[in-house]
Amino acid sequence: MLFETRLTWRSTTSAVAVIVIASSAHGADRISFNEQIRPLLSDRCLACHGPDEKHREADLRLDIRAEAVGTVDSPHAIIPGKPEESPLWQRITSTDPDLQMPPPAAKKPRFTPEELALLRRWIEEGAEYEGHWAFLPLRDDPPPVTVGAPHPVDAFVHRKLAARGIKPSVEAERTTLIRRVTLDLIGLLPSPDEVSEFVNDNSPTAYERLVDRLLASPHYGERWGRHWLDQARYADSNGYAVDAAREMWPYRDWVIDAFNRDLSFDQFTIDQLAGDLLPQPTKHQLIATGFHRNTLINQEGGTDREQFRVEAAMDRANTTGAVWLGLTVGCAQCHSHKFDPISQREYYQFFAFFNSAQDANDRGPTVEVVRGEVFGQPVSVPRDPPAPTAAELAKLRSDWEGTTRSRLEQLRKESSAKPVEWSPVTFVETRTASGAMFTKLDDGSLLSSPMGAAHEMYHLTLTSALPQIAAVRLRVLTHDSLPRQGPGRAGNGNFVLTTFTLAANGQNQPFAGATADHEQPDFSVEGLIDADPKSGWAINVGPGSTAKMNTDHEAAFVLAKPLILGGKPFEIAMRHDLNANYLVGRFAMDVSAVAPTAVSTHDAALLAALQKPVGDRSKDEVARLQQAFEKAEPRARKVEKKTNPDLVQAMVMRDLPQHRETFLLTRGDFTRPNKELGTLAPGVIAAIAPPLGVEGMQPNRLELARWLVHPDNPLTSRVTVNRIWMRYFGRGLVETDEDFGAQGATPTHPDLLDWLSREFQHSGWSQKSLHRVIVTSATYKQSSRLRPDLAVSDPRNLWLARQERFRLEGEAARDAALTASGLLESALGGPSVHPPQPEGVYAFTQVNKSWPTEQDRQRYRRTLYTFFYRSAPYPLFTTFDAPDFQAVCTRRLRSNTPLQALTLANDSAFFELAQGLALRLATERPGEFAAVLDDRINLATRTCFSRPPNAAEAKLLRDYVRQQVSSFREDSAAAMSLTTPALRQLLDAPEAASLVLLARTLFNADNFITRE
């Protein structure tokens, strides 16, 4: 039976005596309405007695005190100070099915004795209400003074713990700490060298310096940009049944760059919601508005264009409410919100901000973006002239051959008449990007460390006795410790050097040219100075060549103009951006005051071919000449590139010149606008301060964005801080990060939440500053071990007496495997890529998708860059709980299923990464297999777990590897199927296969995919 009138409620006393006893032992503190009473009313009462006037029963509101209490002459449901006389109390304690509340038909649980005691005591104390905690202004209380907690975060947390008689946990082990903070801040594993350096650094600022280094890493933007892209419902396809590909990656790149630049969160908000409405917006600000172009596009025939335009506008309103306000505003599409003070009218006023967008279920407005442009380094876009006629092509070829032959003949004469004297340099400082050290040999050459990163950068500071230099010579030298006694660290002794730069006085000094005594086909030394990370110098030999790879070689680099040294040092950087672990092993350098003139191997071969009559040239010579001709003359290209994946039209927001009329849509139906209420101007939710503050004009998205980040708007900073906290502890201070309304959880540490929110604003909305505050706290650095006392006193760890351990999301799991394998391609941004995936993914989609599996280093890009189809996401994503981005996702749920273990063990992409780790173990720990097995196991666990194995683990892994070797000796075919040619160059197949299975075992371990 529903409430019919307030005057017909009757008293029942059957349950009152029990409740009086239960409530008699309460303490001295007053009941908190927000923390203790509001959640009870919201859960049991407000669906029928809340803000929604259309579905309100008995004309009773319990969310507003004046409505719930009434007046002295006309009391309503609650009579302050008199629980027995209060109809609310009478109904919730009644055992009469016709009278009790909640009614049995509502299928809601009855109030427990403990909850009834709280309600009774609250009424006794006067039934005071508070404004909903999330809508109240931020408190400005300073951190409490707490003994032993100098960090403000710890002061708040320790006060809560002390009140409950709980002690915080000890600090985590340093190996755990560096793995945790590295995964949290950049989403990659720390290298073994980084772990060792941190563990052995006894400086009191070691941890803070580690945090600063990670926050400065470009990988920070990739890690935290991934979290934001979830909220932006980012995908590379349109959605619905057709789900065709779209080009959204410029927006993804903007997000990464914004995080790396630490763009203030208020400007971050404004650019995404209204960058197009700013005065003279930059291209970056236009790209940022792609946030709301991530809506779905329906390409099916026979659809109503207006329907999906309205759905996109609703999605934008709902997403904005969820991301910045943490409110379920979408509940008010069809009727006023049942629990929160959001009327249906207010919903459509909010909707009006997005109702005038130009796009209408199609691509809409765009801006041209070139790959790398967002990061300030646009790639060159070829602009080929029209293809020449046959006669024009013949003339171009004849002119080119004559000019080239004359130039090379003159160069040969000059090189023989101009001897060069080389002077050795002094290495003042040598370092690598990974921190690996060089060994300086007796002859002054440098030997690189086998512990370096797979794509290492060498950074050298040098001096010379010469007053000026015009050229630099790089000598790559053999060494007995290197694979095959070559000059490189690849398994065959080779290397692939991709960049060679010289800087002085803070400026790069351009090179005019480069020559080498030997070049691998398609790996010319000129690739070191062409600013292309996909080209480089290597020294392997082609079929039929008489050259020798594993011997000393040299390359000379001629400066565009001589560099005056004046005794000052200069710097040289050498990068290895292509093949993993193809590093220069041993090298030396010299400089010359005069520029050498030399003919490279490539040019010598060209000259020999050009000096022959056309009919006498071999097939190889004809091909070499054609390739050089096409490179020198773009018009001679045989096949013109029809599309350029590095140049796209990025989808952006634009409003119509004339605003659309907005009406309240009855039941949310776009075909039923309520025109009787008139048109609705854009507006915000009145319950949230401050008002919009726009007079004499119709507000737009720019005013909305500024309102969201106004210092007096308490929700945006609370919601944002809470979500960032959630990433570090597995749970927010408000557990329902997506719902800060009446149905949501109350904060466990409201004072800490407000202090962090204020600090966030006072720091200039700097996210990096907020991250630093959180991760430098003792609360963050605690051990995650479950203590027996906490299993009883705080099993869910709500009071933060320890850290949390939780499974990595799918992207981080694959990125960890990429890091461990040494195969990670660390380039930033660009078009999404297609790493290997199982067959049959699109067997059940309406339109079969193309998945052109990458064949080069693109297959090893971070998982963030993997192409995302909404209708059939990359299998790893669905297995590890990624959403399909049909709608906003502020928090991913975590599951633990057998499919996850099967993916890590058997998925082709992970198996390839296991082969990469095996190659790394074989390369970095060379030697007789049995003799170095323990070293390889040690390196493997330090790489995967950031710690050496304990005795039990070491024995288990050692026995397992030996068993596998023995098994593979009897099944050579199986060993061959598990290994790669590169592995078999270093080890026999059974030994190589056992290392692959060792790597696969570690990838599938709980320790590997768990963040402690």
Side-chain angles (χ1 to χ4, degrees), residues 184 445 584:
D184 281 351
S445 64
V584 173

Side-chain angles (χ1 to χ4, degrees), residues 570-805:
F570 58 98
E571 297 178 338
I572 285 178
M574 299 163 58
R575 297 182 65 93
H576 306 78
D577 292 322
L578 286 176
N579 302 39
N581 299 309
Y582 272 63
L583 310 179
V584 173
R586 178 189 172 206
F587 63 94
M589 286 189 190
D590 312 285
V591 291
S592 171
V594 298
T597 305
V599 181
S600 68
T601 304
H602 173 71
D603 285 345
L606 275 185
L607 179 56
L610 288 169
Q611 290 173 332
K612 292 181 180 180
V614 173
D616 293 343
R617 296 169 183 171
S618 68
K619 289 183 179 181
D620 287 344
E621 288 172 331
V622 169
R624 183 186 291 272
L625 289 172
Q626 181 65 23
Q627 185 180 31
F629 174 48
E630 291 178 1
K631 183 177 181 181
E633 178 49 72
R635 296 180 65 198
R637 293 176 182 166
K638 294 179 291 184
V639 179
E640 294 185 2
K641 195 172 186 181
K642 300 299 182 184
T643 60
N644 180 8
D646 292 330
L647 174 65
V648 298
Q649 298 296 322
M651 300 165 67
V652 301
M653 289 289 287
R654 291 283 196 191
D655 278 352
L656 295 168
Q658 184 68 35
H659 292 291
R660 286 189 180 93
E661 289 185 311
T662 298
F663 300 96
L664 184 150
L665 302 181
T666 304
R667 301 296 300 171
D669 186 346
F670 81 104
T671 67
R672 299 172 62 193
N674 188 335
K675 295 189 177 182
E676 293 181 4
L677 294 177
T679 59
L680 302 177
V684 294
I685 300 166
I688 304 172
L692 199 56
V694 178
E695 297 180 1
M697 59 178 289
Q698 177 159 305
N700 57 22
R701 284 181 282 112
L702 183 56
E703 278 75 41
L704 171 63
R706 288 170 174 162
W707 175 80
L708 287 170
V709 292
H710 192 284
D712 292 338
N713 184 333
L715 275 176
T716 296
S717 55
R718 278 185 179 130
V719 168
T720 305
V721 163
N722 187 65
R723 289 208 181 107
I724 289 175
W725 183 276
M726 175 181 71
R727 312 295 182 195
Y728 288 119
F729 294 91
R731 179 190 299 108
L733 295 169
V734 180
E735 187 166 3
T736 54
D737 81 292
E738 76 288 353
D739 189 357
F740 271 49
Q743 286 288 91
T746 55
T748 55
H749 299 72
D751 45 3
L752 172 58
L753 178 62
D754 277 13
W755 182 85
L756 286 170
S757 300
R758 278 285 184 206
E759 286 297 302
F760 187 33
Q761 293 182 359
H762 293 164
S763 72
W765 296 88
S766 166
Q767 294 192 73
K768 285 190 176 181
S769 295
L770 178 59
H771 290 307
R772 198 177 196 283
V773 167
I774 294 173
V775 303
T776 55
S777 68
T779 302
Y780 173 81
K781 293 189 285 184
Q782 292 178 109
S783 169
S784 62
R785 295 182 184 276
L786 178 60
R787 295 162 19 203
D789 62 316
L790 295 181
V792 176
S793 60
D794 187 17
R796 298 189 64 221
N797 195 32
L798 295 177
W799 309 117
L800 302 169
R802 60 180 177 88
Q803 248 291 2
E804 290 282 355
R805 70 189 303 269

Side-chain angles (χ1 to χ4, degrees), residues 442-622:
D442 293 341
D443 63 353
S445 64
L446 298 180
L447 181 66
S448 65
S449 169
M451 301 297 291
H455 299 283
E456 190 66 274
M457 182 181 79
Y458 300 164
H459 195 281
L460 316 165
T461 302
L462 314 94
T463 59
S464 170
L466 300 177
Q468 74 169 28
I469 59 173
V472 179
R473 181 174 66 171
L474 169 66
R475 290 182 288 129
V476 292
L477 309 170
T478 60
H479 194 269
D480 289 344
S481 69
L482 297 172
R484 304 295 177 90
Q485 290 77 49
R489 288 204 167 274
N492 59 357
N494 198 4
F495 61 83
V496 180
L497 186 63
T498 56
T499 306
F500 188 91
T501 58
L502 187 151
N505 304 318
Q507 294 184 333
N508 280 342
Q509 307 297 314
F511 290 112
T515 61
D517 67 335
H518 169 64
E519 297 170 337
Q520 181 174 325
D522 299 323
F523 286 85
S524 169
V525 72
E526 292 180 353
L528 297 182
I529 60 173
D530 63 1
D532 182 0
K534 295 182 180 179
S535 64
W537 180 41
I539 56 170
N540 207 341
V541 294
S545 174
T546 59
K548 185 178 179 182
M549 178 174 70
N550 290 337
T551 188
D552 296 347
H553 295 289
E554 64 181 51
F557 304 87
V558 179
L559 289 162
K561 61 179 182 180
L563 172 63
I564 307 300
L565 291 178
K568 294 183 179 179
F570 58 98
E571 297 178 338
I572 285 178
M574 299 163 58
R575 297 182 65 93
H576 306 78
D577 292 322
L578 286 176
N579 302 39
N581 299 309
Y582 272 63
L583 310 179
V584 173
R586 178 189 172 206
F587 63 94
M589 286 189 190
D590 312 285
V591 291
S592 171
V594 298
T597 305
V599 181
S600 68
T601 304
H602 173 71
D603 285 345
L606 275 185
L607 179 56
L610 288 169
Q611 290 173 332
K612 292 181 180 180
V614 173
D616 293 343
R617 296 169 183 171
S618 68
K619 289 183 179 181
D620 287 344
E621 288 172 331
V622 169

Side-chain angles (χ1 to χ4, degrees), residues 221-278:
E222 293 175 317
R223 171 60 171 171
W224 284 89
R226 172 67 271 168
H227 293 316
W228 185 260
L229 292 174
D230 278 13
Q231 298 181 123
R233 65 266 193 247
Y234 172 87
D236 297 292
S237 67
N238 290 332
Y240 294 111
V242 176
D243 199 30
R246 63 165 64 162
E247 291 163 334
M248 284 304 301
W249 59 262
Y251 169 72
R252 179 243 291 143
D253 287 3
W254 180 87
V255 169
I256 295 169
D257 182 63
F259 273 94
N260 280 335
R261 289 187 290 119
D262 198 21
L263 181 65
S264 64
F265 188 79
D266 56 348
Q267 192 63 48
F268 183 72
T269 296
I270 290 168
D271 286 356
Q272 292 183 88
L273 293 183
D276 58 307
L277 300 176
L278 291 168

